[in-house]
Every structure is written in structure tokens, then in C-alpha cells.
Amino acid sequence: MTKVKTQSLHKREDELANANRQLEILSNGIFQSGELPTFAKKIKETNQFPLRPKKLEILQINVGYMCNQVCEHCHVDAGPDRKEIMTVETMKQCLDVIKNTGAHTLDLTGGAPEMNPNFRWFVEEASKAGIKDFIVRSNLTIIRANKKYYDLPDFFKKHNVHVVSSMPHWTRGKTDKQRGEGVFDQSIKALQELNARGYGMPNSELKLDLVYNPNGAYLPGDQAAMEKDFKKALKEDFDIQFHNLFAITNLPIARFLDYLIASENYEDYMYQLVEAYNPSAVANVMCTNTISISWDGWLYDCDFNQMLGLKVASKVQHIKDYNEAILNDRNILISQHCYGCTAGAGSSCQGTVAE
Amino acid sequence: MANNNYYDPSDLRKFGKITEWSEELGTKFFDYYGKVFEEGALTAREKALIALAVAHTEQCPYCIDAYTKDTLQRGVTKEQMMEAIHVGAAIKSGATLVHGTMMMNKVNKLEM
């Protein structure tokens, strides 16, 4: 058990705020000694090295690392003390890309994306591009955090935004332990408000999905079974409905890596990930159909690589030079954290990936 | 022996290796084991909770390790986990106490 922290690793000037230090940890120890195979070695066994992109389907834009919460497992190391925020200039560069992309999904994430002062303008402009699926990853509590956010459910509805929200458990204790005191009650209120606008209701086109992350050093259970349990409990206890549950594995980076090391669970967790390696998940990992864009416009294979500072291995590395054809002809950068996306049924921002 | 302890947590990872010294029986065991824990008339979650309770009555450290993790993965709360263990403990103590009737029978037979 670890104490809930209220500052990001960056603010605390922790050594794990440094991406290179994280990559070092992930490459040393049990992987350096050969006790466990590196991810590269593992995917070579099934002739899946190097990992290459397939058709681009998802543009994921991280509009800033600022957040009203300091969740224990956060791979972004987000929090109120993070000041990295996408500027209007970078947003305009993103909009140029959004208008011309072949991707069918636009996925805004953070931090709490709503805390970017230009968030609403950006959503309004981006929604004009007519992208099929427009996701905003909302942490729910932001809707209740301040009066200026109270109308977010209406704003989302107006722009037909697909809301994807984190909810680690249907009980207060487990949720608050991971995400902070009072988060559960505020999340429940926010979900009820979204439901009141039609979000998450059966047959409603206003999509509301939940994301489940395990509360510690273990892998997520079966996504379908978890969804059933979540739906039953939230309906019975709070009359809340939602569409899908995405069960996402915690990747061993940033604050979750910090937790694993501090709680002496790191090696066991890496064993779990490697033992649960599923080659059929490799074929569909999200980096094969996603481009991740950081608050300052750099391009990455995924949000995790973004946090590890691993820019795409391509001539095109920044949104200002964006070219989908050139970008698609690249090798995806990997390290041992990638085991998190290939364990069991696989894991991505859209849930499990194995067919 | 790699260490001086009868039980080593890392030995749990080697469980699958028992097959190496008796392939046919080991494979049959793991096939059976896997099948038992599949969703059936009971859910996989219910089976995991039974396994957790039995792990405690058997006092098997490996099983306790494995099924604590397994039940957590299935979203089981710690209150539910503890209740399951109490079921095991109640049966264990009940099984001890119900033998008290044997003692009572014997006393009744022996005493005038």
C-alpha cells in the first residue's frame, strides 16, 4: 500500500520524471540479465519485428498534461502542477491535419483536456471536419470541479462528442484509493448528468464508455465480465447506464512505474506481463493504427511513447510537417513497456485488441 | 536447492515445469485445471472465490498468492474476499466441532 500523493513526479523532481531514466529501468535488471526476454526478442519469435503501422485509423491529440486529479497510476504524470498546454498555434496545425486525415477517429486526451483554455474552441473547429468518431477522454470530476465546467455535458452533446471516462471500480473505496478522495461521488454525479442528457442510454447515439484500470499490480480481468459487473452495480446502486467498458492494462511507466518500484512489485508485474504475452494481440496493438500528438506538436507511436519521449522514427516528426504517407512508412519504437499492450486479451485506449 | 526456504514465491512461476518430469500426467492435470476454471454453470468469478477459500483451508501459500491476485483481477472487493475465507474457516471449524459428536458418543458408551 502506498500513500496517495498530491504532486506529480515532475513537481517532486523525482528521478522517474525523467523519461530516459524510465527507459533505463525498463531495459536493465531482469531484461538485461536475460531472465525475461526483451519485447523485441519476444516479437521476433513470431516474426512480428519490426512492428509496422497498418492503415491509420486514430489521431490521438494530447492537449496538455494539466489535470485536476493526481491519480496514482497515471502514465502521463498529470496533475494541477503540470503547465504543459497546447497552444492555439499548435491546435491550428492539428486542425489542418484533421481536415485532411484518412483517420476515422479523433481522440482528445490529457491531463484533463477540458482544462486547456482553448479546448472548447478546438472542439468546435474540429467537429466541423466531420470525423466519424470524435472522442474526448473526460475524467468526469472535471465536470463537477468548478462552475465554469458545469455545462460540459451540454457542450459535449451539442458537438456529438463521444465521452470516454475513467472509472476504476463500482465501489467508492477502490475508486478513491486510485484517483483521490471524493472522486467516486463526483464521478457518479457527473455520470448521472451525462445520462440525463441521453449519454450512455440504450440505443442513444450519444456514446458514453468507461475505462477500467486495475487498482494495483495486477492485470485487468475479462473485459466482458467486468462490463457486466460494472453495468449491474452502477444501475442498481445509482441508476447509471453506459455503453462499453474498456479494460486497460496499466503500463509500467511514470507514476505506475514509481508505484511498482516503491511497493516492490516491479519484477512480479513484469513477469505477469511477459507470461500473459499474446502474439495475436501484437497484430492489433494501437500503435499500428494510431498517431499520438503531444501538446507541443511532436508525433509519437502512442501516448505511452509520448511520455517516454520516443518520437516517431520518421523524417516527419512534428505536426507542422505532417504527411500521412511518409509517417505510415516507419518502424514503431518499442521497449519493455509494450508488454502492457500485448498481455492477455491485449490493451489499448479502445480496450482489448486480440481477435 | 537455491535457497534455505521451503517456500519461495518465485517457485509459483515454475509450476508449469512439473510437466517436464512427467509430461503426460502434467499435461492432463493442466488441461483439467484449465477446464475446471472456465465459465460453466458457475461463473469464473464464483470459481475464483471458491478457490480463494480453499487455498486458505489448505493453507497453500502459492494458491493464496495466485487466487488473491486472480480475484482482484476479477473486480472482487476485499470484503467479498474476506467473507469467502470465513466460509472456509467456518467449514474448517465446523468440521472439527462436528467430530465432537464422536467424542460424545464414545464418552456416553464408556461411562456408566
Side-chain angles (χ1 to χ4, degrees):
Chain A
M1 286 204 347
T2 50
K3 231 179 111 188
V4 176
K5 299 179 177 81
T6 52
Q7 288 186 326
S8 68
L9 296 168
H10 277 77
K11 178 77 177 173
R12 283 183 269 144
E13 294 180 2
D14 190 288
E15 63 162 355
L16 285 181
N18 181 332
N20 287 333
R21 178 66 192 128
Q22 295 182 52
L23 286 166
E24 230 173 70
I25 291 169
L26 289 167
S27 297
N28 292 346
I30 38 179
F31 292 101
Q32 196 176 41
S33 69
E35 195 176 324
L36 288 177
T38 60
F39 189 72
K41 191 176 172 195
K42 199 76 183 170
I43 62 173
K44 275 177 192 163
E45 285 172 12
T46 43
N47 298 318
Q48 287 166 302
F49 182 86
L51 259 184
R52 299 275 299 172
K54 296 188 288 193
K55 191 182 172 313
L56 179 73
E57 295 180 59
I58 302 163
L59 274 179
Q60 188 175 60
I61 303 179
N62 194 315
V63 297
Y65 302 158
M66 187 182 279
C67 190
N68 57 320
Q69 295 181 188
V70 193
C71 300
E72 279 219 69
H73 68 295
C74 184
H75 72 277
V76 178
D77 190 28
D81 55 51
R82 296 299 299 265
K83 307 300 177 206
E84 298 90 337
I85 286 286
M86 186 176 274
T87 61
V88 171
E89 193 197 347
T90 308
M91 283 179 167
K92 282 180 180 163
Q93 291 170 337
C94 289
L95 287 170
D96 287 339
V97 169
I98 292 163
K99 282 172 199 155
N100 299 303
T101 181
H104 57 62
T105 298
L106 177 63
D107 186 344
L108 297 193
T109 186
E114 302 93 331
M115 290 181 86
N116 182 312
N118 299 301
F119 168 76
R120 293 186 193 225
W121 171 81
F122 188 50
V123 169
E124 277 162 16
E125 292 303 310
S127 65
K128 290 177 193 164
I131 282 214
K132 203 172 133 202
D133 190 9
F134 188 175
I135 296 170
V136 171
R137 293 188 185 266
S138 176
N139 69 18
L140 293 176
T141 60
I142 191 72
I143 294 172
R144 306 285 315 156
N146 185 299
K147 251 201 275 189
K148 68 178 173 182
Y149 299 121
Y150 285 180
D151 67 328
L152 275 171
D154 293 316
F155 177 78
F156 290 148
K157 182 176 178 175
K158 185 178 167 199
H159 297 286
N160 196 24
V161 163
H162 172 178
V163 178
V164 177
S165 294
S166 293
M167 191 83 189
H169 206 260
W170 57 85
T171 57
R172 182 176 288 104
K174 282 200 174 215
T175 300
D176 285 0
K177 208 167 145 213
Q178 182 188 86
R179 301 177 73 77
E181 201 66 32
V183 165
F184 183 77
D185 290 342
Q186 292 304 320
S187 299
I188 291 296
K189 278 185 194 149
L191 285 171
Q192 285 166 335
E193 287 186 26
L194 286 163
N195 274 176
R197 268 78 171 182
Y199 268 103
M201 304 309 279
N203 305 318
S204 170
E205 284 184 6
L206 295 167
K207 291 284 169 208
L208 172 62
D209 297 327
L210 297 184
V211 168
Y212 160 80
N213 288 81
N215 260 45
Y218 51 92
L219 307 185
D222 177 69
Q223 182 170 276
M226 294 294 290
E227 182 180 290
K228 217 168 126 191
D229 291 336
F230 263 84
K231 283 193 168 169
K232 187 170 178 286
L234 289 178
K235 179 80 180 111
E236 280 177 10
D237 297 348
F238 305 103
D239 200 26
I240 284 170
Q241 302 193 74
F242 67 94
H243 291 126
N244 302 299
L245 181 85
F246 302 147
I248 300 187
T249 304
N250 288 313
L251 262 67
I253 65 172
R255 289 215 285 270
F256 191 66
L257 178 61
D258 178 51
Y259 154 76
L260 288 175
I261 293 171
S263 60
E264 297 180 355
N265 278 307
Y266 172 71
E267 285 193 8
D268 269 350
Y269 192 72
M270 296 314 287
Y271 260 96
Q272 282 184 71
L273 291 181
V274 175
E275 280 167 3
Y277 173 78
N278 178 357
S280 78
V282 178
N284 298 314
V285 278
M286 66 176 172
C287 51
T288 60
N289 69 357
T290 304
I291 286 284
S292 156
I293 303 158
S294 65
W295 65 277
D296 48 358
W298 295 101
L299 307 175
Y300 301 86
D301 299 307
C302 68
D303 204 45
F304 303 111
N305 277 7
Q306 182 184 140
M307 302 315 151
L308 289 170
L310 300 170
K311 288 174 191 147
V312 281
S314 168
K315 269 195 307 194
V316 172
Q317 287 199 312
H318 196 272
I319 191 82
K320 66 178 175 1
D321 308 313
Y322 191 87
N323 178 311
E324 229 146 74
I326 295 176
L327 265 173
N328 232 34
D329 183 24
R330 71 185 199 278
N331 291 343
I332 292 165
L333 296 176
I334 56 171
S335 180
Q336 281 50 262
H337 64 294
C338 302
Y339 274 119
C341 290
T342 60
S347 176
S348 76
C349 292
Q350 271 71 33
T352 56
V353 297
E355 282 166 356
Chain B
M1 297 278 282
N3 59 50
N4 293 322
N5 301 315
Y6 283 113
Y7 287 117
D8 181 342
S10 68
D11 282 346
L12 179 55
R13 293 178 198 140
K14 301 178 197 159
F15 190 16
K17 289 186 191 290
I18 62 150
T19 304
E20 290 174 9
W21 288 10
S22 176
E23 197 180 340
E24 191 194 350
L25 294 177
T27 305
K28 277 187 192 300
F29 166 76
F30 282 115
D31 285 349
Y32 166 74
Y33 193 97
K35 198 78 196 159
V36 163
F37 281 95
E38 279 177 12
E39 188 105 12
L42 295 176
T43 64
R45 192 170 184 227
E46 287 164 341
K47 290 180 185 187
L49 269 170
I50 295 169
L52 181 71
V54 176
H56 282 77
T57 59
E58 291 296 310
Q59 296 179 353
C60 165
Y62 301 118
C63 314
I64 293 171
D65 185 331
Y67 284 95
T68 300
K69 198 178 282 169
D70 192 69
T71 42
L72 278 174
Q73 284 182 1
R74 295 178 194 282
V76 178
T77 63
K78 53 190 181 188
E79 291 80 10
Q80 291 169 324
M81 290 160 77
M82 188 56 88
E83 277 189 26
I85 293 171
H86 275 291
V87 172
I91 293 296
K92 261 301 224 205
S93 55
T96 304
L97 284 170
V98 76
H99 285 80
T101 59
M102 285 174 73
M103 176 270 286
M104 290 162 79
N105 289 341
K106 193 73 181 173
V107 168
N108 289 339
K109 190 177 175 206
L110 291 176
E111 275 191 339
M112 288 172 72

